[in-house]
Amino acid sequence: MLFVMGACLGSFFCVFAERMPIRQNFWSARSQCPHCKQTLRFYELIPIVSFLSLKGRCLRCHTKIPLIYFIAECLYGFVFFIICCYPSLFGFPLSTLLIWMTSAFILSMIDIFYYEVDTWLLYTTTILLWINLYLGHAHFNWISAGCFLLLYHLSKRWSFIGEADLFLAFSWFPWLTFTQMFYLLWCASILGIVYYVYCMYILKKHHIMIPFIPFLSLGLLFSLWQY
């Protein structure tokens, strides 16, 4: 049941991430096929089930539905199930984990859709996360905060990381141990390299843009699990 609930939330957050940056109505406007613009019926909007039953295609124009929607619904459903059932595995209260992973999920989807970050959403989720962490008496790690300052200084000198990724690091790093921070960066870097190699040698792309926030988010999940 928790997985189903998480998949439904994941579907809504996908719509939110797709419409929020371009300021479209994400609450009451009906979902449409991105190709033929036909309004989708209720049985075409059931998370996971609709994608499988329709074989990943629009019912009317038969255009392929982007696989990312199916993956996102499954992934958020799984994460929601795990953190609700076993929050002790991640070292933080359930409310903190839900805010943290949900904000990471939405920011990741925006990065996938637009290769950018909605700064208003990034600032808002950071404030909510920090308030929750403070009220939950979470430990502020000064060593990790110092590592962020070093990363910030190096990035300003050599410009190897975007400003949005830097702010995300500022949002997350001080609440992680040095080991967790290392796991996060190691996991995100490995995934980013694998994605780059896949695009370069399998898809044969010559101009590759990497949405790095999804890899940082998966690294965050892995680092919290290593708590």
Side-chain angles (χ1 to χ4, degrees):
M1 187 62 184
L2 286 173
F3 175 81
V4 173
M5 186 183 302
C8 292
L9 289 172
S11 180
F12 171 75
F13 293 142
C14 281
V15 174
F16 177 83
E18 192 170 17
R19 297 182 182 181
M20 173 65 185
I22 56 178
R23 301 302 185 258
Q24 285 187 351
N25 184 355
F26 61 86
W27 186 256
S28 59
R30 296 286 300 275
S31 296
Q32 298 176 334
C33 169
H35 185 260
C36 66
K37 306 302 180 183
Q38 291 292 319
T39 300
L40 301 180
R41 300 180 179 90
F42 75 93
Y43 52 81
E44 298 175 85
L45 297 171
I46 304 172
I48 301 176
V49 175
S50 293
F51 185 92
L52 294 175
S53 62
L54 296 173
K55 299 180 180 179
R57 293 183 180 273
C58 174
L59 187 61
R60 284 169 286 280
C61 69
H62 306 294
T63 301
K64 284 187 176 181
I65 302 170
L67 185 61
I68 186 60
Y69 295 108
F70 176 75
I71 295 174
E73 290 168 359
C74 291
L75 182 60
Y76 191 84
F78 172 75
V79 172
F80 187 80
F81 171 80
I82 291 296
I83 63 178
C84 286
C85 290
Y86 310 103
S88 59
L89 293 177
F90 302 94
F92 286 95
L94 178 58
S95 60
T96 300
L97 292 171
L98 287 175
I99 293 173
W100 208 338
M101 295 312 305
T102 299
S103 63
F105 177 82
I106 295 173
L107 292 169
S108 296
M109 296 308 299
I110 292 175
D111 200 14
I112 290 172
F113 290 143
Y114 299 105
Y115 294 100
E116 64 180 32
V117 177
D118 188 294
T119 52
W120 179 88
L121 184 63
L122 179 58
Y123 298 154
T124 302
T125 54
T126 296
I127 292 171
L128 289 174
L129 177 63
W130 279 48
I131 290 175
N132 189 274
L133 287 163
Y134 176 77
L135 294 177
H137 305 288
H139 177 66
F140 188 92
N141 195 305
W142 291 101
I143 296 178
S144 298
C147 290
F148 162 77
L149 293 177
L150 177 61
L151 179 65
Y152 176 82
H153 176 74
L154 293 175
S155 68
K156 286 298 182 182
R157 186 170 183 176
W158 286 299
S159 301
F160 61 88
I161 188 171
E163 290 187 4
D165 295 330
L166 275 175
F167 192 88
L168 200 64
F170 164 74
S171 175
W172 295 354
F173 283 10
W175 306 100
L176 303 173
T177 66
F178 179 82
T179 301
Q180 287 176 311
M181 186 183 65
F182 172 80
Y183 280 136
L184 189 158
L185 291 175
W186 175 82
C187 183
S189 299
I190 294 297
L191 291 173
I193 292 171
V194 171
Y195 178 79
Y196 179 85
V197 171
Y198 173 75
C199 291
M200 176 68 74
Y201 296 103
I202 304 299
L203 300 182
K204 304 297 182 180
K205 290 185 177 180
H206 299 292
H207 301 286
I208 302 172
M209 296 181 65
I210 299 178
F212 198 59
I213 292 181
F215 303 136
L216 289 173
S217 299
L218 291 173
L220 172 66
L221 183 64
F222 179 72
S223 68
L224 293 176
W225 174 64
Q226 288 296 314
Y227 173 86

